[in-house]
């Protein structure tokens, strides 16, 4: 997969730093990447912002409260259960009950995640909901509004956790684009062989 720019339609092999197994992802035409840690597509009705995103960068820290997160990013163990437990227990957000899934040669859990009620983003630390982070001192995955919705898959790669998610940035996203994003997310398959 390219580091940045538009992506040709096709199936790509991706190895994420810290993951013990690569995955394959199939992307149709019209998708792009900024950093190689995810793919995005604009909603034609909202051309100045991404409509959907599928991401997979490491998630080593989770705040107990997504709104009051500064100085409160808690390091979690590399297990699937620790991440699932931390995210589903996070306050200011809500999760559906995790369900077991198989993703290629590996198993894990899937659940939906969103902001609870009508919490005002501007009242949160730095005006954003911090969901998780690669770092102990800065948030790398956040919601900029209470309208964002995600589905997570957390996979056990023989003792190493792999996290991927699909995001809908606002409620007025074209349903066809939402279905396309879900198909890209569902195409992620981890393989144990070379």
């Amino acid at each position: 997969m390219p580091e940045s720019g538009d992506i040709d339609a096709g199936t790509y092999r991706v190895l994420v730093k810290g993951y013990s197994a690569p995955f394959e992802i199939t992307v149709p035409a019209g998708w792009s990447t900024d950093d190689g840690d995810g793919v995005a597509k604009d909603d034609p009705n909202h051309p100045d912002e991404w409509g959907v995103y599928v991401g997979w960068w490491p998630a080593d820290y989770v705040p107990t409260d997504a709104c009051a997160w500064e100085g409160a990013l808690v390091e979690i163990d590399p297990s699937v259960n620790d991440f699932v437990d931390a995210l589903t227990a996070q306050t200011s957000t809500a999760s559906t009950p995790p369900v077991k899934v198989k993703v290629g040669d590996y198993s894990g859990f899937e659940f939906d995640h969103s902001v609870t009620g009508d919490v005002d983003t501007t009242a949160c630390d730095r005006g954003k909901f911090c969901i998780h982070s690669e770092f102990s001192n800065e948030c790398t995955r956040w919601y900029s509004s209470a309208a964002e919705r995600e589905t997570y898959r957390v996979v056990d790669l023989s003792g190493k956790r792999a996290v991927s998610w699909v995001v809908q940035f606002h409620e007025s996203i074209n349903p066809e684009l939402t279905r396309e994003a879900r198909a890209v997310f569902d195409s992620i398959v981890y393989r144990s062989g070379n």
Side-chain angles (χ1 to χ4, degrees), residues 2-189:
E3 285 291 318
S4 64
D6 293 338
I7 302 168
D8 292 333
T11 299
Y12 294 88
R13 186 171 184 262
V14 180
L15 181 59
V16 179
K17 179 182 170 188
Y19 288 13
S20 59
F23 67 83
E24 292 176 354
I25 185 171
T26 301
V27 182
W31 285 72
S32 64
T33 184
D34 266 348
D35 50 22
D37 290 339
V39 293
K41 188 169 184 181
D42 294 333
D43 185 336
N45 298 325
H46 304 275
D48 296 331
E49 57 189 65
W50 285 341
V52 291
Y53 183 83
V54 177
W56 52 75
W57 64 78
D60 300 321
Y61 299 86
V62 175
T64 55
D65 185 336
C67 188
W69 59 269
E70 279 193 298
L73 292 168
V74 179
E75 187 172 12
I76 54 174
D77 288 339
S79 74
V80 166
N81 288 339
D82 276 11
F83 181 83
V84 171
D85 291 348
L87 224 59
T88 57
Q90 188 177 67
T91 57
S92 300
T93 59
S95 298
T96 58
V99 295
K100 289 183 178 181
V101 293
K102 188 89 169 155
V103 184
D105 297 335
Y106 298 92
S107 60
F109 292 94
E110 180 177 313
F111 58 94
D112 296 334
H113 199 68
S114 61
V115 174
T116 55
D118 35 341
V119 178
D120 182 9
T121 311
T122 60
C124 297
D125 292 344
R126 295 197 212 165
K128 58 188 174 186
F129 297 99
C130 181
I131 307 306
H132 55 78
S133 183
E134 294 177 68
F135 309 112
S136 63
N137 62 341
E138 182 56 62
C139 187
T140 56
R141 175 63 196 123
W142 68 85
Y143 299 168
S144 54
S145 81
E148 291 188 37
R149 303 282 182 268
E150 294 181 296
T151 298
Y152 276 88
R153 281 207 187 115
V154 189
V155 180
D156 182 356
L157 302 179
S158 303
K160 293 239 183 192
R161 176 182 59 244
V163 179
S164 58
W165 59 93
V166 59
V167 164
Q168 177 179 322
F169 286 104
H170 46 85
E171 296 161 342
S172 60
I173 295 293
N174 181 325
E176 289 180 24
L177 182 55
T178 302
R179 284 190 290 277
E180 185 176 312
R182 181 62 195 221
V184 171
F185 180 63
D186 288 342
S187 78
I188 294 175
V189 177

